[in-house]
Amino acid sequence: MKNIRRIAAGVLAAVAVLTPVAARADTPYAQASAEVDMDGSLIEGSHVTEVWHPYRGVYCVAVDESVDFTGAVAIHVTPIGEYAAPRSLSVELNPTSACGEHRLDTIAVYSQVSFRERADSAFYLSVS
C-alpha cells in the first residue's frame, strides 16, 4: 500500500511540474484554446470569439460555431503565474447565472483560493 501511495505521489508531482509546459504547447487537436489575463483580456486564442470578466474570480469564454459541445468534451484549465495563495480553477459548460442565460457557446472559469474566496487569475484553457 505504501508503494502505491509513493507512486501516486510521484505521478502527481510530475503532472504538477509538467502541466504548465503542456498548457503552453501547441494544441493541434484542440477544438478551441485561449490564454486569458487576470483582467479577462484575451492574450491569444483559437476559435474563441469573446472573453469577459463579470465578477472577481469569474471569467466567461465564448467559442465559435466550429466547437462541438454535443459529444464528449474535455475542458482543461491551468493557472498562469505566481500568487501569494494557491489558486483552484474549475469550469462550467453553458453557465446560466455568471455569463448570461441561453449562451450555449460559453464556458465559465471560476478561480478561488481557500475557503471558497474568489480571486482573479490568469489561465490557459483548452477544449478537446
Side-chain angles (χ1 to χ4, degrees):
M1 190 62 153
K2 288 183 181 181
N3 285 339
I4 293 173
R5 287 184 185 159
R6 287 182 189 154
I7 292 170
V11 168
L12 289 174
V15 168
V17 169
L18 295 176
T19 296
V21 174
R24 275 187 240 128
D26 189 19
T27 54
Y29 300 108
Q31 293 188 62
S33 61
E35 181 179 352
V36 178
D37 202 359
M38 284 180 69
D39 64 2
S41 60
L42 180 65
I43 297 170
E44 189 174 343
S46 172
H47 299 286
V48 172
T49 58
E50 184 180 8
V51 177
W52 66 100
H53 182 43
Y55 311 107
R56 181 178 179 182
V58 178
Y59 301 85
C60 303
V61 180
V63 297
D64 66 25
E65 66 279 350
S66 69
V67 179
D68 181 16
F69 289 136
T70 59
V73 176
I75 301 172
H76 180 82
V77 63
T78 304
I80 302 171
E82 296 181 22
Y83 304 97
R87 300 297 196 252
S88 171
L89 299 177
S90 61
V91 297
E92 180 181 13
L93 187 57
N94 304 327
T96 55
S97 60
C99 298
E101 296 202 23
H102 309 296
R103 294 286 310 247
L104 301 177
D105 63 342
T106 305
I107 301 164
V109 177
Y110 302 100
S111 173
Q112 62 186 25
V113 292
S114 60
F115 305 112
R116 298 183 184 166
E117 180 183 337
R118 297 241 167 114
D120 291 338
S121 175
F123 60 90
Y124 294 109
L125 174 107
S126 71
V127 180
S128 302

